[in-house]
Amino acid sequence: MKNEARAILRRFEQGRAVVSEDGDYSAASWHRLSPPLVIAQAYCLWVLESVDWQPDEVDRVEEVVRGLFSDPGVARFMGTVDDAVLVTRGVLGDHDAAAEADAREAGTLHNLTALLDAARLRGQLSESDLDALLEWAVTEVEETLGSGELTRPQIRDGQVGPWDATEVESEDSTASGDRIDLGALRVPVVAGMRIRPEGIDLQAGEGNAYGVTLNVGGASLQLQVFSAPEGGLWGQARHELVAKIAAAGGEAQEGTGRLGMEIRGTVPGGESGADPVGVRFIGCDGPGWMLRGVLTGLGADSDIIQEQARRIFVGAVVDIRTATPLPNGCVPLHWPPLSGWDDDTTPLFD
């Protein structure tokens, strides 16, 4: 994989077009080892070394990136220096910066290669230095993919949720914001979002729901909370889900996405069950709980998760301190919501 990544860099050095495996300028697939992902990780490692990385060194990162624009290699970067800063912050773990870079179409394979080539020139890396950097990147990617982490920090790293209630009680910044309070789960309010409880009679109007479905931006996200043992439940749950999907006639495989280890696949759909429907399972282990999301519709079968659905998932707060799990481990949610409800902005499903 190192040699394939090096071949991409050579093409760039020769002034030739740099395209991905499917023939366009898109960046790496984040769920598998690929030459573009190795290039992204190599650039990430170079930046980390250049700033002697600390979590609060955002300004230093920007200084390093802006310094690259004095070298000829970055002249072929398709965008502005601000775009390059966003791309860099994205590969270093800033989810919002990554989303903005994607929205600007700046996080491409071509641009990542331009940044790494500029880093090569800036750092005066020899051929052997560059080979060592790429080998290091391959090792890092293999380890992070194998562990369920990414080139960006794993969710629940202290800066990104989902959150446990005890983590946000004294917080007034990162995890703050309006949420719909469902008891064991508090869900961020996103403009245009529609909400529906799962597992209760809507005509009755109240009761314990086993989950909640949120519809926003063409995506449908179902969230459920489960009681979990020490050490987490998501790893075991993924294996069970893959087996269940296969038994039902669908296809599924585990991989790594921007929210950690996930499952992507298809399940039988339509009236006859013959039409495959894309589905994506995401999950997160917290202290004594697991939050599971099931995504269908927009973003279910894409390398990039639908942004509003991602924001809902990572902004959720789980509170199981007074919860009584069901025999299957599912933690009931309260319906109707305790607070945060505004039918004008977040209406109930029809």
Side-chain angles (χ1 to χ4, degrees):
M1 197 59 63
K2 179 201 75 174
N3 292 335
E4 288 89 340
R6 186 67 184 92
I8 291 174
L9 281 165
R10 287 197 182 95
R11 287 199 297 272
F12 184 87
E13 293 167 18
Q14 295 166 1
R16 297 159 59 189
V18 173
V19 296
S20 60
E21 294 173 356
D22 57 3
D24 62 26
Y25 286 84
S26 63
S29 297
W30 293 95
H31 65 287
R32 62 181 177 83
L33 181 63
S34 66
L37 186 51
V38 171
I39 287 173
Q41 179 67 2
Y43 173 64
C44 176
L45 293 171
W46 180 85
V47 173
L48 292 176
E49 284 205 324
S50 298
V51 301
D52 190 20
W53 177 256
Q54 297 294 326
D56 59 351
E57 290 284 1
V58 173
D59 290 340
R60 175 69 177 134
V61 169
E62 182 167 342
E63 176 186 335
V64 168
V65 175
R66 291 185 179 277
L68 291 176
F69 277 71
S70 62
D71 292 311
V74 84
R76 292 176 59 198
F77 182 90
M78 293 182 176
T80 66
V81 63
D82 290 334
D83 293 333
V85 171
L86 284 172
V87 171
T88 303
R89 287 178 176 170
V91 299
L92 290 173
D94 185 329
H95 291 270
D96 291 334
E100 179 63 23
D102 289 339
R104 298 187 186 189
E105 299 184 344
T108 64
L109 170 58
H110 177 94
N111 279 350
L112 287 169
T113 306
L115 290 171
L116 180 57
D117 189 62
R120 174 186 66 85
L121 295 171
R122 188 71 167 178
Q124 297 182 331
L125 301 181
S126 66
E127 288 292 312
S128 60
D129 291 336
L130 185 57
D131 281 346
L133 179 62
L134 292 171
E135 287 177 1
W136 183 16
V138 170
T139 299
E140 288 286 310
V141 170
E142 289 176 337
E143 289 180 354
T144 53
L145 290 178
S147 67
E149 298 180 359
L150 302 171
T151 53
R152 61 194 67 241
Q154 175 66 295
I155 53 177
R156 288 192 45 74
D157 61 354
Q159 299 180 20
V160 179
W163 309 94
D164 186 74
T166 59
E167 296 174 310
V168 301
E169 286 177 340
S170 60
E171 300 254 346
D172 59 1
S173 56
T174 307
S176 64
D178 294 333
R179 291 183 175 86
I180 298 173
D181 190 346
L182 301 170
L185 179 66
R186 301 200 288 273
V187 180
V189 175
V190 174
M193 181 175 77
R194 302 172 72 199
I195 181 171
R196 179 183 68 212
E198 299 292 347
I200 68 170
D201 182 359
L202 290 182
Q203 298 301 318
E206 61 182 41
N208 286 330
Y210 70 74
V212 62
T213 295
L214 308 143
N215 197 28
V216 61
S220 179
L221 177 66
Q222 183 188 94
L223 295 177
Q224 288 182 276
V225 177
F226 295 87
S227 176
E230 184 177 353
L233 183 63
W234 181 227
Q236 174 187 335
R238 292 198 310 272
H239 299 314
E240 293 175 352
L241 284 167
V242 169
K244 287 181 179 179
I245 292 172
E251 298 181 356
Q253 63 179 6
E254 294 186 63
T256 307
R258 291 190 171 180
L259 295 178
M261 292 298 292
E262 61 180 33
I263 295 171
R264 282 192 230 171
T266 58
V267 295
E271 294 183 2
S272 64
D275 299 324
V277 176
V279 64
R280 184 182 201 143
F281 291 85
I282 53 179
C284 176
D285 286 316
W289 51 262
M290 177 188 75
L291 179 64
R292 191 185 77 182
V294 185
L295 185 68
T296 55
L298 186 64
D301 56 0
S302 170
D303 284 339
I304 300 175
I305 193 169
Q306 202 269 359
E307 177 59 19
Q308 292 166 303
R310 184 195 70 81
R311 288 178 179 270
I312 292 171
F313 186 77
V314 300
V317 175
V318 178
D319 187 354
I320 62 169
R321 289 173 294 186
T322 61
T324 302
L326 300 174
N328 66 355
C330 183
V331 177
L333 306 181
H334 187 277
W335 194 267
L338 299 168
S339 66
W341 180 258
D342 182 349
D343 193 57
D344 291 331
T345 57
T346 53
L348 184 69
F349 275 26
D350 296 332

